[in-house]
Amino acid sequence: MGNVLLNTGVVIKTTGAVIQGTWGTGGENFGVLRCLVKSPDKPLRAKDIDPSCHRMIIIGGLGLDDAVLERAQELQVRGIVVGGFPPKLAPQAGQLPFPVIATE
């Protein structure tokens, strides 16, 4: 929905989301959010990430593993948001070209 401002431009209104985390890597990014789990207690799995996730910010639940990070990089996602994150994966996540955020 928008309004035209004569000789100036337009005003466009849309819906968006801001997600704030307690830990993260890789700065900021933007994209379409895509939830890949049915419940917040379900971990994000590599098999859940398919080609339709290309250039999206994917959302998981409880956590993830190194296979998720590798698959997400293969398919060029724009970010990963999960509830929790194993500290041992921090170095690997820090090398990715997109942010990884844990919300709790």
Side-chain angles (χ1 to χ4, degrees):
M1 181 174 177
N3 296 323
V4 176
L5 305 174
L6 190 61
N7 297 323
T8 305
V10 296
V11 175
I12 300 172
K13 295 180 182 180
T14 187
T15 302
V18 174
I19 298 173
Q20 295 182 338
T22 59
W23 181 90
T25 67
E28 298 176 359
N29 212 341
F30 66 94
V32 175
L33 297 175
R34 178 149 187 222
C35 187
L36 299 181
V37 297
K38 297 201 185 284
S39 170
D41 64 335
K42 301 292 181 193
L44 182 59
R45 303 212 185 272
K47 67 179 183 174
D48 299 327
I49 306 170
D50 63 29
S52 70
C53 296
H54 177 72
R55 298 178 57 90
M56 294 197 173
I57 297 174
I58 56 175
I59 302 172
L62 184 62
L64 51 73
D65 60 22
D66 59 339
V68 168
L69 299 179
E70 292 167 11
R71 181 72 171 152
Q73 186 169 14
E74 283 175 22
L75 291 174
Q76 299 175 349
V77 304
R78 289 201 167 169
I80 298 175
V81 179
V82 290
F85 189 86
K88 69 179 182 174
L89 294 180
Q92 183 180 356
Q95 298 299 313
L96 295 170
F98 54 82
V100 178
I101 297 172
T103 59
E104 296 181 19

